Amino acid sequence: MDKREIVYPRGWSFRIIGTDRKNMEKDIAIVLAERKHELKEGNKKGKYLSLNLTLTVHSEEERNSLFTALKSAESVTMVL
């Protein structure tokens, strides 16, 4: 199967899952610093909720770095 090449810069979305919206928003703000982004509420199922984060990434390295930083945030259970 052919691996498609991703052209950068491009818009990218992460779905961030956790249990406490305020703490999630605080941790996301720390990871993103002053980066322009959009954060929208996703689904809430049981004790978990998701936030949809959209921003522009400039390279695969930057995208992977953001994924790792978001995943490592204390309030974040999972990043998709």
Side-chain angles (χ1 to χ4, degrees), residues 25-79:
E25 288 176 345
K26 201 180 310 178
D27 286 344
I28 291 166
I30 290 168
V31 169
L32 297 180
E34 298 296 318
R35 289 180 64 121
K36 184 177 176 186
H37 66 279
E38 184 177 353
L39 192 60
K40 292 184 178 178
E41 189 167 329
N43 296 329
K44 179 165 177 49
K45 298 215 177 188
K47 69 178 189 174
Y48 294 100
L49 64 98
S50 68
L51 298 174
N52 296 317
L53 170 66
T54 305
L55 69 162
T56 299
V57 293
H58 298 277
S59 68
E60 182 175 4
E61 180 180 271
E62 180 184 36
R63 177 175 56 87
N64 290 335
S65 174
L66 286 168
F67 176 85
T68 300
L70 291 165
K71 190 171 78 169
S72 298
E74 188 175 324
S75 67
V76 175
T77 304
M78 185 184 309
V79 178

Side-chain angles (χ1 to χ4, degrees), residues 14-25:
F14 295 101
R15 182 181 303 177
I16 303 167
I17 299 170
T19 58
D20 184 308
R21 182 183 175 117
K22 280 186 182 182
N23 286 333
M24 290 168 65
E25 288 176 345

